[in-house]
Each structure stands twice: as C-alpha cells, then as structure tokens.
Amino acid sequence: MSVKIGNIDLGEFPLLLAPMEDVSDPPFRYVCKQGGADLMYTEFISSEGLIRDAAKSRQKLDIFEYERPIGIQIFGSDIESMREATEIATLAGPDIMDINYGCPVKNVACRGAGSALLQDIDKMVKMTEAVVKATHLPVTVKTRLGWDDNTKNVEEVAERLQDIGIQALTIHGRTRAQLYKGEADWTLIREIKRNPRIKIPVFGNGDVDSVEKAAAWRMEYEVDGIMIGRAAIGYPWIFREVKHFFKTGEHLPGPTLDERIVACRTHLDKSIEWKGPKLGVFEMRRHYANYFKGLPDFKSYRMMLVKEENITVIHQILDEVAEKYENVLPFSEMA
C-alpha cells in the first residue's frame, strides 16, 4: 500500500527530510534528494516575515523542480497572518503546505507560535482551519507530544486537526519542555496510529540515526513513514541506506571518501549558486566537519576549510583531503 498525501504518492514507506532552521535550505535539500529523501520541507518561514515581505523569509520560498514533492513550512501566532502567509506561500508553487506546531525554541514558542499552540488547542484548530481554507494544496502538520509531561495532548490534536482537513501528521516524540534533550518516546505516536478514527498518514520523528533504529521503530511503532533530521546533516546517504536495509535486510556499505568529497563539493557549489559567493562560502562552514566525521586527525583541514574564503582554494583543500586519506579504511570500519 502506498502512502498518499492528497494526490501525492510517496511510495510504500516514505522517508522525509525534517525542516531544520538554518540547515534545510535548497543546497542541503539537493544532496538529500540525491541521497534518497522521498519528501522534503523548507526551513520554517515566519508568517509575519512573509506578510512584511522580509527578504530572508521570501528567499526561503525558493523551491526547485528537482526537489518535488516539496512542502513549505510556515509558523506564526496570529490566525489572520497565517491565512495571508498561506496564500503567499501557495503562489511559490509547492506541493504541500505544512504548519509548524512543534518548534520549541524560545524566540518562537515564547511569542505564541510553534509548540506554544499545544497550550491552546482551540486556537490551533482555528489557525489550522484558516490555513486549510486558504490553499488548494494538501495541508500537513508537524507537532510534539505536548507542552510538558503533564499535558501530552497530541491524541486530541490528531483527531481534531484531521477533522478540519489536514492530510498528514508528523509527531516528534518529545514534549516542548524536553527541547532536544533526553530520549524521544514514540509510544504515543503508536497509540495515535492504532486509533480507529485516525485515517491520515502519521509520521514519526526524533532520534532516528541508524538503519537498525529505523527498521525496528517502523515495526514497533507502526508509523506510515519516518522523518529524519539531524542524522542527515553531513550524511545525506542515510535515506538510501535505510531503504536498502528495508528492502534486503542488509547494510549498504557507507559512502566512500570520494562520495563524501563529491557531496561536499556539490553542497558548496549549490550554496554559492543560491546565496552568492560570500554568503555561500560562509554558510557552508557549519557542514564540513559533518561530511568528514570519523577521519583521523581531520581538525587541521577543518580549520583551513572554515577559515578559507577563496572558492578555488577550498576546492584545493578538498583535493588535498582526497589525496591524504585515499588509503584510509572506509568510514564505516573506523566508526
């Protein structure tokens, strides 16, 4: 059975790339799509920023044909602003409109947006209804288990949001109070999947960082798909590895050094293409360490890559890395 959001067929068990602030931009999404992601979302976009025509918010609406299916994720605390932002985002031509009711960070939650809406389900329902009515696109939602351990209300959220027309729900297995600490708990996600009233796809998110975990949790928690976030940073191959394991029960060999260098270069080139040379080089700096995680004595190269501003020199440093480490064991054997 294929999983569908509206008319979008995502295959039997889709793997989704999580929307991550300052990470899930088009250059990063490009390498994740090549790595096998089935559905991706933009970084979350402020509804107020879109209405004010803020350059940073507008730029986040950039989507490309090769990314499809792609969802635009918006957040906000004002219902009318969210309705207007939905109309603006719809014009950018995504396949899906997603609402963020999960972001736990202070400057979002303390302004009444993101996971703060878990404290006011009635308002969440009204806001979601306004978004559903403002677009012809399927609307999905990403949220958490609840505000804290005493208010795990995601079961009520799932039923009420399905009733007003959302077409899929992603649940991060933590409360807002947990932020990203402790372990994600997917047991409530399974309860929602088992609720006979719930007909929409339910995706699990939180702590999936290995093929074994993805396979075990797929069975244990009965979800329709898995959303992967932090584990894909610097390792876009996680999607293809999980899929291969599902299909064969065997581990796909990890990426070679050459594959890592190619992905890193591609990410850099796309970053420069999208953001311009200065910002493109600057924003790539946070990714180098992740692409080469596990290489012995890599620190000096990381420092060079992080300091260098000249694009040609950066490519020369990557050439040097390729040469120096060509006879080193595969990463999977070093890990």
Side-chain angles (χ1 to χ4, degrees):
M1 282 278 290
S2 272
V3 174
K4 283 188 167 182
I5 297 177
N7 294 322
I8 302 160
D9 189 331
L10 297 173
E12 194 188 331
F13 189 84
L15 300 177
L16 289 65
L17 173 67
M20 293 177 281
E21 176 66 352
D22 291 332
V23 176
S24 303
D25 57 12
F28 178 71
R29 298 200 300 264
Y30 183 88
V31 292
C32 287
K33 188 71 179 179
Q34 288 189 312
D38 295 305
L39 171 63
M40 306 188 293
Y41 289 95
T42 62
E43 301 170 77
F44 67 11
I45 307 173
S46 157
S47 54
E48 302 293 341
L50 279 184
I51 292 165
R52 287 198 317 271
D53 209 15
K56 195 178 178 196
S57 296
R58 282 281 174 167
Q59 195 190 20
K60 287 181 182 176
L61 289 176
D62 284 0
I63 52 179
F64 299 90
E65 281 307 307
Y66 62 75
E67 301 183 287
R68 296 192 184 281
I70 176 94
I72 286 178
Q73 189 186 73
I74 57 173
F75 75 97
S77 58
D78 180 76
I79 294 172
E80 180 55 24
S81 299
M82 285 289 279
R83 189 192 64 72
E84 277 184 61
T86 301
E87 290 177 351
I88 295 166
T90 300
L91 294 174
D95 302 288
I96 289 168
M97 188 64 56
D98 188 70
I99 311 172
N100 180 313
Y101 291 138
C103 181
V105 299
K106 253 189 190 159
N107 65 357
V108 172
C110 294
R111 288 183 189 161
S115 57
L117 273 303
L118 285 161
Q119 296 176 292
D120 189 347
I121 308 297
D122 290 345
K123 183 179 177 183
M124 184 196 273
V125 169
K126 283 186 190 133
M127 184 179 281
T128 308
E129 194 168 20
V131 170
V132 169
K133 284 179 175 166
T135 184
H136 66 283
L137 299 167
V139 173
T140 60
V141 162
K142 181 163 191 266
T143 190
R144 288 183 168 231
L145 303 177
W147 181 256
D148 57 27
D149 279 346
N150 303 317
T151 55
K152 287 184 179 173
N153 49 10
V154 71
E155 290 175 272
E156 181 191 347
V157 166
E159 288 193 2
R160 291 183 66 182
L161 295 190
Q162 176 184 264
D163 289 349
I164 50 154
I166 71 162
Q167 300 200 32
L169 179 66
T170 300
I171 304 164
H172 181 107
R174 287 182 174 86
T175 62
R176 188 271 164 177
Q178 275 182 279
L179 300 175
Y180 293 99
K181 300 184 185 87
E183 285 182 8
D185 176 9
W186 287 35
T187 48
L188 258 183
I189 305 176
R190 182 174 54 210
E191 291 307 305
I192 290 164
K193 262 312 294 172
R194 288 179 176 176
N195 178 347
R197 272 204 62 204
I198 298 296
K199 308 290 184 218
I200 58 173
V202 176
F203 305 121
N205 172 232
D207 292 355
V208 176
D209 54 12
S210 68
V211 293
E212 293 85 359
K213 207 179 266 187
W217 289 12
R218 175 184 183 175
M219 302 306 290
E220 190 179 344
Y221 298 111
E222 301 163 23
V223 288
D224 296 296
I226 286 173
M227 181 179 274
I228 295 172
R230 288 173 289 175
I233 300 174
Y235 204 86
W237 304 277
I238 188 161
F239 300 101
R240 74 175 188 194
E241 289 180 12
V242 169
K243 284 178 175 177
H244 183 80
F245 193 77
F246 283 165
K247 210 176 274 182
T248 65
E250 291 169 7
H251 285 269
L252 198 64
T256 61
L257 176 64
D258 191 46
E259 282 181 296
R260 288 184 180 247
I261 286 170
V262 168
C264 183
R265 285 192 205 273
T266 304
H267 194 161
L268 172 65
D269 292 343
K270 290 283 175 193
S271 188
I272 292 161
E273 203 179 292
W274 186 59
K275 300 171 184 170
K278 195 169 180 181
L279 193 59
V281 166
F282 178 75
E283 297 216 337
M284 189 61 197
R285 291 174 176 176
R286 65 173 70 117
H287 293 285
Y288 293 124
N290 293 304
Y291 275 114
F292 300 108
K293 215 179 197 166
L295 274 187
D297 307 318
F298 188 73
K299 194 178 175 188
S300 58
Y301 285 106
R302 186 178 69 81
M303 297 309 285
M304 281 192 269
L305 288 165
V306 166
K307 285 177 183 164
E308 190 51 62
E309 291 175 17
N310 184 300
I311 297 163
T312 309
V313 177
I314 292 171
H315 280 293
Q316 285 168 355
I317 296 167
L318 291 171
D319 288 341
E320 218 178 292
V321 170
E323 213 173 291
K324 172 163 180 183
Y325 291 99
E326 66 177 339
N327 296 318
V328 170
L329 280 171
F331 285 73
S332 51
E333 290 178 37
M334 293 188 299

